[in-house]
Amino acid sequence: MEHGEPTGSRYKDNDPAERMPCILSRENMLAAYQAVKRNAGAAGVDEMSVEALGDWVRNHWEQMKASLLEGRYEPQPVKRVDIPKPGGGIRTLGIPTVCDRLIQQAIHQVLSPIWEREFSSHSHGFRPRRSTHDAVKAARAYVAQGHRWVVDIDLEKFFDKVNHDILMARIARRVRDKTLLRLIRRYLEAGMMQNGIVEARSEGTPQGGPLSPLLSNILLDDLDKELERRGHKFARYADDCNIYVKSKAAGERVLASVTSFVEKRLKLKINAAKSAVDRPWNRKFLGYSMTSNHRPKLKPAKASVDKLKSNVRELSRQGRGRDLERFIQEDLNAKLRGWADYYRLSEVKGVFEEIDGWVRRRIRSQQWRQWKRPRTRKTELMRHGIAEARAAESARNGRGPWWNAGASHMNEALPLGWFRQRRLIFIGERIQRYQKSLKTNS
């Protein structure tokens, strides 16, 4: 499971009017506790750590359980954390206390299997045994079948704008336990704290708690069912939804009708500036784009490559002065490994060769900076096999680190073998190994 929720079938057959006893059962709470421990995360407004949760629950569980069963429990405010989005703007997270994360996780484990039986096969986000890769592969398949126009829909500030009344009505279709319904609404309405000030909320389900992803899928299931009813080819991951059609005119009709449905039925807003009808290879979906071939091939979107380079630049700045071998193995490789594993579905080799060459140049630039003085640079170039006269001329050329990192003297002094000795991950080779393993296993 991509998200690791213990959503076993043992939670799904209790009386829909009496869900709370099942949620608070010893078996379910222990599974929830293990999930919260495994996911770790920052403390909430009460500053209690995940490590302290076990002792706190042992000392207070009976009182907490009674208040939950009697409908008296009041969630604490969530801690507001703003993080920059890759494409600009701010994403607001709401971090619940670890106690509230525990309760939300317990609720999630009971409710998730109930809706899993009903959710669309086109929905891939925050679900057991589904992932971003499933959504991307579905998108490629639609384009390969001839649906070579995409309706790329962006829901404006989705997690901030969810209408509580509409969401609660959707939940009440399957949940009749009034105590549980009141508790979920209290979680939706829990205030958000920043700098000691609590701001009340009347809409939205902030990202950051275990329950929010499931609630978003419950609300957007209406959109999935409407698209299925119309016979559309689509893939949705959370609030990212792409619909694949055969002509631009069809795409424009779909965009207009889906916009009307979303705004009237779900009281959400489509971001017109970010939504579009276009060719799939001109857009990105979950970080991927694709070629315009008759048989389309997946590749990282340009924005994804640019973001990786930006992250590597920042790591390099932070790593100035550090031993390069340790920097590569302890800092840089983790970033490259994660990126390569996410984009392992890519079938276009050239982009990875370019990235690998660029990363090596960044490291050569870092090494040139560390050598600092011309005398040191001459000595080090000679130590790495450059003739004395050439080493002296290169050391005094007056050019900057980036220029020298791309020059022949640094490429010869720090060749591919130098990077392999320091166990630098080559993204292209890592993805090639994955592709070969797929062919072998098939």
Side-chain angles (χ1 to χ4, degrees):
M1 286 190 293
E2 186 187 40
H3 297 283
E5 306 93 333
T7 52
S9 60
R10 62 189 180 275
Y11 301 127
K12 69 185 180 184
D13 293 321
N14 57 312
D15 181 353
E18 292 290 333
R19 300 286 185 194
M20 286 299 290
C22 182
I23 289 168
L24 300 177
S25 68
R26 178 179 175 80
E27 178 190 22
N28 191 47
M29 292 306 303
L30 283 174
Y33 174 67
Q34 292 302 324
V36 170
K37 275 184 63 179
R38 186 168 56 247
N39 294 331
V45 296
D46 63 355
E47 298 300 329
M48 185 190 298
S49 67
V50 171
E51 292 74 21
L53 177 61
D55 286 341
W56 192 94
V57 169
R58 275 188 289 273
N59 293 327
H60 299 87
W61 176 241
E62 290 305 320
Q63 303 98 298
M64 177 183 277
K65 182 177 180 180
S67 69
L68 285 162
L69 287 172
E70 294 166 10
R72 294 184 288 105
Y73 183 80
E74 293 285 349
Q76 294 192 63
V78 296
K79 180 192 287 184
R80 177 171 179 152
V81 177
D82 292 332
I83 59 173
K85 288 184 178 181
I90 296 294
R91 174 179 288 113
T92 298
L93 302 183
I95 309 300
T97 65
V98 290
C99 290
D100 282 322
R101 292 213 290 274
L102 176 69
I103 299 166
Q104 286 192 30
Q105 180 66 33
I107 295 171
H108 185 286
Q109 289 166 184
V110 170
L111 296 191
S112 180
I114 297 170
W115 267 277
E116 274 300 317
R117 293 172 289 182
E118 307 295 333
F119 280 156
S120 168
S121 62
H122 300 277
S123 166
H124 302 277
F126 310 118
R127 296 182 60 191
R129 296 172 295 280
R130 289 175 178 267
S131 70
T132 52
H133 285 173
D134 295 318
V136 168
K137 286 188 282 190
R140 177 183 57 187
Y142 294 142
V143 177
Q145 292 164 11
H147 299 81
R148 294 168 73 83
W149 288 89
V150 61
V151 184
D152 186 352
I153 294 175
D154 183 88
L155 294 171
E156 186 172 291
K157 296 183 178 179
F158 170 72
F159 287 93
D160 298 332
K161 296 296 183 182
V162 169
N163 183 288
H164 290 173
D165 291 336
I166 291 177
L167 175 56
M168 290 306 303
R170 301 306 185 269
I171 298 170
R173 291 173 181 173
R174 305 299 304 276
V175 173
R176 296 201 297 272
D177 187 324
K178 293 182 179 179
T179 303
L180 176 55
L181 290 172
R182 281 195 299 270
L183 178 60
I184 293 173
R185 183 175 275 277
R186 285 173 183 168
Y187 273 119
L188 290 173
E189 295 175 348
M192 184 174 286
M193 179 179 286
Q194 186 177 37
N195 300 324
I197 299 172
V198 177
E199 178 184 337
R201 286 191 295 122
S202 59
E203 61 182 4
T205 170
Q207 299 174 78
L211 200 51
S212 182
L214 174 61
L215 299 182
S216 69
N217 274 336
I218 291 172
L219 181 63
L220 291 176
D221 189 55
D222 275 19
L223 173 60
D224 297 339
K225 294 297 192 292
E226 178 65 15
L227 295 177
E228 287 178 339
R229 187 186 67 79
R230 299 180 186 185
H232 288 311
K233 309 291 186 183
F234 71 98
R236 183 177 68 78
Y237 191 96
D239 56 337
D240 284 330
C241 184
N242 277 8
I243 307 166
Y244 295 86
V245 297
K246 291 191 173 182
S247 71
K248 184 177 183 180
E252 289 172 345
R253 288 194 300 270
V254 169
L255 179 57
S257 63
V258 170
T259 298
S260 176
F261 175 85
V262 166
E263 294 184 350
K264 290 179 180 177
R265 288 281 297 276
L266 302 181
K267 304 301 181 186
L268 295 170
K269 187 171 177 58
I270 298 291
N271 188 328
K274 293 185 178 180
S275 301
V277 177
D278 204 341
R279 296 293 195 178
W281 43 89
N282 294 333
R283 307 293 292 182
K284 66 182 178 71
F285 182 47
L286 302 173
Y288 278 85
S289 187
M290 61 184 80
T291 64
S292 58
N293 303 7
H294 178 69
R295 178 191 171 276
K297 294 182 178 180
L298 293 171
K299 64 178 184 177
K302 181 180 181 302
S304 304
V305 175
D306 291 344
K307 183 184 176 185
L308 172 66
K309 289 182 176 181
S310 176
N311 289 339
V312 171
R313 285 190 196 97
E314 182 59 30
L315 278 178
S316 298
R317 281 192 287 270
Q318 294 172 2
R320 286 179 185 173
R322 287 192 61 194
D323 175 76
L324 277 184
E325 186 166 354
R326 288 188 63 187
F327 167 74
I328 289 169
Q329 294 176 17
E330 295 177 7
D331 299 334
L332 183 57
N333 274 351
K335 176 64 65 178
L336 300 178
R337 184 183 300 111
W339 199 89
D341 289 351
Y342 183 77
Y343 290 100
R344 66 180 184 265
L345 299 182
S346 301
E347 304 156 287
V348 179
K349 295 180 182 179
V351 64
F352 301 120
E353 293 171 356
E354 188 273 330
I355 292 170
D356 284 332
W358 183 89
V359 168
R360 291 192 294 270
R361 187 170 178 178
R362 288 297 311 178
I363 296 171
R364 290 186 182 110
S365 174
Q366 207 164 334
Q367 182 66 88
W368 186 263
R369 287 181 184 276
Q370 289 185 2
W371 288 342
K372 293 184 179 178
R373 292 186 291 272
R375 180 182 296 178
T376 306
R377 288 169 179 166
K378 175 188 172 184
T379 302
E380 290 295 338
L381 287 171
M382 290 174 62
R383 190 169 69 84
H384 285 82
I386 305 299
E388 182 176 2
R390 186 180 173 203
E393 182 182 358
S394 299
R396 297 193 303 268
N397 63 30
R399 302 275 191 166
W402 185 248
W403 186 93
N404 278 283
S408 59
H409 54 270
M410 282 299 283
N411 277 266
E412 292 174 30
L414 307 185
L416 284 180
W418 186 89
F419 292 96
R420 292 192 192 281
Q421 287 175 358
R422 284 150 185 80
R423 291 180 284 177
L424 174 69
I425 286 175
F426 291 3
I427 290 175
E429 292 181 1
R430 188 175 180 87
I431 290 177
Q432 273 188 319
R433 286 195 297 271
Y434 173 76
Q435 301 283 359
K436 285 180 181 176
S437 72
L438 286 183
K439 292 178 182 177
T440 302
N441 294 334
S442 62

